[in-house]
């Protein structure tokens, strides 16, 4: 069937709400407004205001309430409108949800899913456009997902809800309108939340990306293919725990890698990927791993500046080209 | 037309207030239009319907005072004195914009006139206003800081912490709450257990006043009184402006959560036509004068649009400027 | 000795309350001692002086109810039913501790009796309690959630957001504020513009009651009333317990911010000696009975210490367990 | 003179307060209590309650007020007791202070210093012991410092206050009691806030550390020296912007490096250091760069577990030994 990333996310929510009475969705404007990115549109009418619960503007409070609700036996899905706002709730996520199992010696666990929009490209400026998922990927006790395909948008919620630990799900704003075919059969989107995926096989260079970087990398791979460079595109999918094996296997084969990350370069998740490659594939590399990240500026509003600040397919292709040429 | 109270101030002020409301209205209508044309992007939050608040309140402040606003701040910026050209150019993302195109509609700034933005984190401006008030006190400057925010922000922890700090330290802060009854699609009674916002403010021992936010005269009068209290050293003051936005929350909002009748009823109370009717009834305004004011506002807008269109974007090579002082990062 | 009100409940309950207070007191004295000996480390926040609150309030709760507490939670844990051995072993960092030595004094947990910790972020437990209340409502379980916190937490945004959510959604949450007048070295009047905490709670339309936190009978009675309201479905309730800590904030605190006279005056109102005097005056307690209760508490403590000392640390190889389910990370 | 890290920090605060009326200190219990780590002890008596300002428990509020005060012409020094609590204020720091200059097109700037305690080793458990300074080092618009020596504890505050942008200063809890000699002459502690420093020259391997990791690395270097391995110890000092040149110069010479970071390994600042070495010294390396970080667990309370979770001198020495032996 033809679907969009947004519709796939919604279908997954609907399925989860229908399947398990313990599941509910909570967040700012998820109900009556229909979700700020329209992901939850229609769900209020279907499931009512208790299970599609609009909250006041209180990120710390309702994320913490989600943790409490999970402790109390529910399986909450909490929506935070945008990753920038999640900083208001970070204490509850990091000092609370992530630590509870360990601090309690394994007695408590927090089966909570937190969804949020991330990323730039819609000219939303410096308080609505960043990519902090790498920070969450640093935290033991959390699991962090970044669906980049229709299948993952459709398929990741179920295993996230089945996971007994807090799972953060990052939806890239540029992907919501992504459209394409998704088979009707649930097998088409059934997925684990452990492995990275090779989205395009190739042997000349590995393009390692996640979220919004995946379509860019695929586009870059097409460009490169036209020039006779056969790039492999690896979609991390799961930012924590990282699937080092898939990464290493790819790079050991291609011997070159470009890591694509919409976070600001210094200290982004891309650095961890480079470090993993240093640790596990140093002797296999023909050239130092390259990175294509966001420029280190709070995201500017103006279109040309925002474009210049972000990773782009042509930048990825250029980095890959340079790696291949240099060896 | 029912009887109206006489306008409680002189003609020059009355005309000034009306003119400001018209300028905001026309600016915003143009912004909506150019959004439709794809020249303005990102989030655009229109202020249409609420003009009386910015027009009436900002005019009460002195040039030394500080203003902190939200993402719905075109009106406040304009009345404060940010040139319309600079606002429009900012929305167009141009280097001549009041934030060099870095900010866009949600992040208008103007240091020269102490306009501290344009904050798009709901509630995020409140602590800044507290700090500005603290700096005024410690530097023994007589300025006060005024913070505009929506009623939705009242649920945020930032509101609570800021009210308490300002009250505890008796800082010269004016909290200007524009209660337009909705935070995106969430009505006040679905976000606050206590919907009497003045009662909430009073729970911090902060004096709270209420103004009819659809009536620029009420806004002006109540704000002036509130400011007098703050300036007297009595500590912060909170003003609730009861108002309404006629448009959707942003250009992305399908506006499905409000009753059409409710919107229409509020439109009947529109701040521009009610105030001009009142001025006319008082003999302070003729239809010709009104049309002239409106024409002037429209001319200013056209000029601003022409300016914004013609202005260049900042060169991409300058992307990294203004991240930190000097050479960054 | 001045005349005292008759104790408003039967002997068994009275003795139970007294015994719990003694058990807390002796446990904490031992903790202080073993801290001095270097066996307990990190932050240790003693509850001495406040025992009436945990003893009186926790006992009102049913086994199904949920409890969320702070870093000053030995008393609550003990009265709730966490074995003293498990508490002491936890403070000693041993694997037999109620959090396997992972938590220490600030992070006591016991899932079996719905004791949700042990939260060392001031105000951090409040949203959890709201969520627990929400889960009770949605799962149609009759439990309520009780959250203990200090008056210092009231300034945090988490307090504000939690009170509003609980009130707005009419959740079965009991907010138990232990007002011991200080947050570390900061006296209430230096942290709140409004020092009447019940008035603050009422600003959320939450019913607020006040108890004498030095009097276990008052605590018990007021908490029982508050719980009855919450159980009736009337939404959350707030109780302010006026109390005082006799010791410093933590073992690192030189306690320079309080007047010695103030401390001494409060000690005169110590919950254990005043309550036992009252029971004696009522003929409900003899000195011999008192001594026996105390001896029993001390014996329990000695046993707990011996247990904690003898217990092994968790093997270092197991460091990474209990980070995530199954094999982590 | 003999001094301690704590006393050096206090002397710097006193000097700053005395020198400039626009400077003031604000935070929880900095005044009457004397500072939770006793850094500000005595300053209230000296400077009064307006300039040594106790705040209520309101991290978001008073950090934001610090930003506003800086905008209004003051030079605030805000103390957050512990880095874990800074998550409550992260929105103001990241979405506010760091972004204001850029968002306003350069019109506003925030001359604010935020000090906080970081790190573990005092058995304070999972809500008081973490090392999130690497997160702040990711954010354009901020400057991030980590004094590891008495001289830096004494010297970094003045240039931080002189900096027109927000500066975060991380004081490691294990260092407060560090004692030693500091010359009386201000030249002894005058410092820039741009460069890393070589604390011990060596040619066999570079130990790259910051904050609490510096003494551990020096200790490891002593152990290694006894075995004939001459380790160089590089103290990052400034976590943002990173002084890549000093790092690269060291590693190009030693050809081997161990990065020490008390953050959890995945996604810690150590990853960025590895990535910089990958990018700038790949062809100079004789072996993949190694990392000694905290184990990926919320910090446990029990002494043996906490010890096992943290970087230790013997682990650093072992990693270095392995690098040297392997080549
Ligand atoms: C912290 C935060 N949460 C959520 C949002 C998304 N958001 C933007 S405006 C808004 C509604 C705010 O309502 P109100 O404060 O009443 O102001 P109004 O828009 O009515 O002027 C929301 C939820 C945000 N910008 N910041
Ligand atoms: C968010 C946060 N800020 C600061 C601290 C440090 N701290 C621990 S206890 C405390 C005082 C709390 O006072 P109160 O809430 O009255 O409880 P009490 O200690 O009196 O029981 C402070 C400031 C903390 N643990 N968490
Ligand atoms: Mg509103
Ligand atoms: Mg207290």
């Amino acid at each position: 069937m033809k679907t969009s990333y947004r519709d796939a996310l919604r279908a997954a929510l609907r399925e989860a709400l229908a399947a398990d009475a313990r599941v509910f969705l909570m967040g700012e404007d998820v109900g009556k407004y229909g979700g700020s990115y329209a992901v939850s549109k229609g769900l209020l009418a279907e499931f009512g205001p208790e299970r599609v619960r609009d909250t006041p503007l209180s990120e710390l409070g309702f994320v913490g309430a989600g943790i409490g609700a999970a402790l109390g036996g529910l399986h909450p899905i909490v929506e935070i409108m945008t990753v920038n706002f999640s900083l208001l709730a970070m204490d509850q996520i990091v000092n609370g949800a992530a630590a509870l199992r360990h601090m309690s010696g394994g007695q408590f666990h927090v089966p909570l899913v937190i969804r949020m929009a991330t990323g730039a490209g819609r000219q939303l400026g410096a308080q609505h456009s960043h990519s902090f998922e790498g920070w969450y990927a640093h935290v033991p006790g959390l699991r962090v997902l970044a669906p980049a395909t229709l299948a993952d948008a459709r398929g990741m919620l179920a295993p996230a809800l089945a996971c007994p630990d807090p799972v953060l799900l990052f939806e890239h704003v540029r992907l919501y309108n992504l459209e394409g075919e998704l088979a009707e059969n649930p097998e088409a989107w059934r997925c684990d939340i452990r492995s990275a995926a090779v989205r395009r096989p190739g042997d000349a260079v590995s393009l390692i990306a996640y979220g919004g970087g995946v379509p860019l990398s695929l586009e870059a791979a097409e460009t490169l293919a036209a020039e006779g460079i056969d790039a492999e595109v690896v979609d991390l999918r799961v930012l924590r725990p990282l699937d080092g094996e898939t990464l290493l296997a790819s790079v050991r084969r291609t011997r070159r890698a470009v890591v694509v990350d919409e976070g600001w370069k210094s200290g982004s998740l891309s650095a961890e990927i480079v470090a993993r490659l240093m640790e596990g594939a140093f002797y296999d590399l023909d050239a130092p791993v390259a990175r294509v990240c966001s420029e280190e500026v709070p995201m500017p509003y103006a279109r040309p500046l925002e474009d210049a600040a972000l990773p782009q397919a042509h930048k990825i292709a250029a980095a890959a080209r340079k790696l291949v040429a240099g060896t | 037309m029912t009887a109206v109270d006489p306008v409680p101030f002189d003609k020059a002020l009355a005309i000034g207030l009306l003119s400001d409301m018209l300028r905001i209205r026309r600016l915003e209508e143009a912004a909506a239009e150019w959004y439709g044309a794809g020249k303005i992007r990102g989030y655009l939050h229109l202020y249409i319907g609420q003009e009386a608040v910015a027009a009436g309140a900002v005019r009460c402040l002195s040039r030394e005072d500080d203003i902190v606003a939200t993402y719905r701040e075109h009106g406040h910026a304009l009345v404060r004195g940010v040139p319309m050209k600079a606002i429009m150019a900012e929305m167009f993302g141009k280097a001549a914009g009041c934030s060099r195109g870095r900010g866009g509609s949600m992040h208008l700034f103007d240091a020269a006139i102490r306009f501290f933005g344009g904050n798009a984190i709901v509630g995020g401006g409140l602590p800044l206003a507290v700090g500005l008030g603290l700096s005024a006190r410690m530097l023994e400057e007589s300025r006060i800081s005024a913070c505009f925010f929506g009623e939705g922000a009242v649920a945020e922890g930032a509101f609570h912490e800021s009210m308490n700090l300002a009250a505890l330290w008796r800082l010269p802060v004016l909290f200007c709450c524009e209660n337009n009854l909705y935070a995106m699609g969430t009505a006040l009674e679905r976000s606050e257990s206590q919907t009497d916002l003045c009662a909430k403010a009073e729970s911090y021992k902060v004096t709270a006043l209420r103004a009819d936010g659809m009536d620029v005269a009420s806004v002006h009068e109540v704000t002036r009184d509130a400011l007098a209290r703050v300036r007297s050293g009595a500590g912060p003051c909170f003003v609730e402006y009861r108002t309404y936005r006629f448009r959707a929350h942003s250009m992305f909002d399908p506006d499905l959560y409000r009753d059409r009748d409710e919107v229409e009823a509020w439109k009947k109370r529109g701040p521009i036509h009610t105030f001009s009717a009142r001025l006319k009834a008082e003999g302070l305004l003729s239809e010709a004068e009104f049309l002239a004011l409106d024409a002037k506002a429209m001319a200013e807008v056209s000029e601003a649009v022409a300016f914004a269109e013609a202005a260049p974007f900042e060169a991409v090579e300058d992307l990294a400027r203004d991240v930190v002082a000097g050479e960054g990062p």
Side-chain angles (χ1 to χ4, degrees), chain A residues 144-186:
Chain A
V144 181
L145 311 180
T149 63
L150 298 177
D152 278 353
R154 180 67 182 83
M156 275 184 163
L157 184 64
L161 279 166
C163 175
D165 293 307
V167 179
L168 275 58
L169 216 147
F170 288 91
E171 303 165 5
H172 197 289
V173 291
R174 279 198 315 272
L175 297 180
Y176 282 125
N177 292 330
L178 181 78
E179 297 199 333
E181 277 301 318
L182 185 66
E184 303 271 351
N185 182 345

Side-chain angles (χ1 to χ4, degrees), chain B residues 68-218:
Chain B
V68 181
T70 71
Y71 46 86
R72 197 183 300 286
E73 86 288 33
H74 310 151
H76 312 77
L78 188 69
V79 178
R80 179 58 174 187
V82 185
M84 198 187 281
K85 284 180 179 176
I87 294 175
M88 195 60 88
E90 187 58 36
M91 296 199 220
F92 277 62
K94 303 302 180 70
C98 60
S99 307
R100 299 189 69 87
R102 298 298 206 271
S105 156
M106 301 199 287
H107 302 300
L108 306 177
F109 287 87
D110 194 332
I113 54 175
R114 304 190 75 77
F115 191 75
F116 292 88
N119 197 311
I121 300 296
V122 172
L126 289 156
L128 298 194
V130 170
L132 284 163
L134 180 61
S135 69
R137 225 261 301 289
M138 290 184 68
L139 293 167
E140 297 179 14
E141 295 173 358
S142 61
R143 63 190 157 85
I144 67 110
S145 77
C147 185
F148 291 86
F149 55 100
E151 89 296 338
V154 169
E156 291 278 7
F159 171 80
H160 177 70
E161 299 186 3
S162 300
M163 291 294 283
N164 185 45
L165 288 177
L168 182 70
W169 295 341
R170 296 177 76 82
L171 299 177
V173 182
L174 184 68
F175 292 99
C176 302
C177 180
E178 302 196 41
N179 179 3
N180 62 8
L181 302 178
Y182 291 87
M184 289 187 58
T186 303
L188 180 59
E189 66 272 14
R190 297 200 300 123
S191 78
E192 289 292 338
S193 58
Q194 166 59 280
T195 54
D196 180 340
L197 302 179
C198 287
K200 290 192 84 74
E202 283 161 357
S203 77
Y204 302 91
K205 291 198 167 167
V206 169
T207 305
L209 306 175
R210 188 168 281 135
D212 178 353
M214 304 309 279
D215 173 5
V216 72
S218 164

